[in-house]
Amino acid sequence: MVQPQQHRIYILQFRKGEQEQEVSCKVSPPKGGRRVMYYYHDGGGGGRNGKPVQRRGFSLRRFFGLLLMSFMSVGTLFVAPMSLFSFVHFDDGGAASAAAAQRTRVAGATCSVMRSIGSLCCDRTSTRADICFARGDLRMHSASASFQLVSGNSTAVGKEVVEEEERIRPYTRKWEANVMATIDEVRLRRVSAGDAARCDVVHDVPAVLFSTGGFTGNVYHEFNDGILPLFVTAHHFRRRVVLVILEYHDWWITKYGDVISRLSAFPPIDFTADRRVHCFPEVIAGLRIHGELTVDPEKTPEGKSIRHFRRFLDDAYRGRIQYLQRLERRASRKRRGSKAKSAAIALPLAPSKHTSPDRPRLVIVSRTGSRVIENEADVAVLAAGVGFDVRVIRPERTTELCKIYRELNASDAMVGVHGAAMTHFLFMRPGKVFIQVVPLGTDWAAGAYYGEPAARLGLRYVGYKILPEESSLSRDYPTGDPVLTDPAGVAQRGWDVTKKVYLDRQNVRLDLARFREELVRAHQYLVAGAGAGQEEASEQSVHHFDQLTN
């Protein structure tokens, strides 16, 4: 009988714009600075319980390896009988045993009794998101929108398997029934070996299941509901995890590919479209979320905070930024070489870091549509007069995220009107200044969604609350109208009214004299911080935010 072959598939990450090349399978790493992103075993069928059949020659090396594993297994029974989700993976820190204890913190009190293979438990105590954990022989069966947990003798009564099923919509806005109704539901159910689907692809790492549906398409929700919870849930696996995605979008993978590749060394799986049966030793369905654009170190396996996430973004975008810099240097050399022959306009380069601490860089994040700064050009001139090197950026849906990250990462101050684009404060370095213009009727949202998280990141946050006369609504409503004098009362009419009046129909025209005071204070803070050390100054940002809001 001919044995089916087992293939190892390598996928290389090519730089954007670089022509793909055919790469032969070699043991040595590929040249040219590219890196192997992920691989998996494609069994191609055959074998007991669907696992690929391999030719296995018995050797002294295999014998001693099995003997060593046996001793380790016996030792584990005595040393760590209480470990939870004790999937062992090897990393640079050598913390395999610590990883099990770390995951206990992630699982939460409601699932703390799970200690053995065959475990299935869901934690539904959070008002923000449910999360389910399963360990054992798990098989992804997208045709029935389920993961099958194959039961052993311990869960059977006679020959009948005890029926057990959990259902979950793996999205982090549990309290919003309308949006949750649009999220696909997945079942985790216990089945007997005879009823289990046959494995097509066998993984030796856990899977994390989540959805990119819901409010995906809005950068705030993409980070708050997806990227940050994914970091919280999966980062401690040190890339030894497979991401399984519901409502899979190619554009989302393209937009966040740099980030995803730092969380997983394996290809993401489109749960709906991939009809193969993927088998895992462990599945986490759903994501943990700690709050608005934040990471709570008390609730993460390794005590990670929002600043760790910020450094994680540095790592994710470093390679792409270096590549962009090489392209720009090449374009600059080409432009200089042809300058004498042509009067063509040069390709604009990204700004270099300012050379003088007396002229810190300020970025104005410009809006179109609603909540526009009507006198934006005057504000830019004003900031330059105060002593800033001013840049204006206008993020579009098609703007590569790395380029926005690069601009703000190199900036000292960011100015923008309340809205989803303020999420980009995450790209700034601790110790810098974030000035959010707060239109009428948006005080609470501006503080809760962006102000408080920015302060926790270590930014010096300034909420510039406009006066009624700085709002375009003052031209639409008479003086004394509740829309101008009592936004909180108007908001009690419901979210639809708030959105229609204050978000969709309001622009701002800043009082240059008032706003100049904030710019001067920001400039003085940055210039003083350049000598005293921005990291030390950033520690005062949370206290500064408290003073602003009291």
Side-chain angles (χ1 to χ4, degrees), residues 66-84:
L66 291 173
L67 185 63
L68 178 61
M69 290 177 62
S70 299
F71 280 119
M72 291 175 64
S73 299
V74 172
T76 302
L77 292 176
F78 292 97
V79 176
M82 299 296 289
S83 64
L84 173 68

Side-chain angles (χ1 to χ4, degrees), residues 25-91:
C25 184
K26 297 181 179 179
V27 177
S28 58
K31 299 179 180 180
R34 306 180 187 94
R35 63 182 184 271
V36 177
M37 291 182 66
Y38 31 64
Y39 71 89
Y40 57 91
H41 298 289
D42 189 345
R48 185 176 180 182
N49 292 333
K51 295 182 179 180
V53 177
Q54 306 176 44
R55 292 183 178 178
R56 296 178 179 267
F58 193 80
S59 64
L60 287 176
R61 177 181 295 180
R62 185 178 298 279
F63 171 76
F64 284 114
L66 291 173
L67 185 63
L68 178 61
M69 290 177 62
S70 299
F71 280 119
M72 291 175 64
S73 299
V74 172
T76 302
L77 292 176
F78 292 97
V79 176
M82 299 296 289
S83 64
L84 173 68
F85 293 153
S86 55
F87 167 78
V88 178
H89 65 280
F90 296 93
D91 52 52

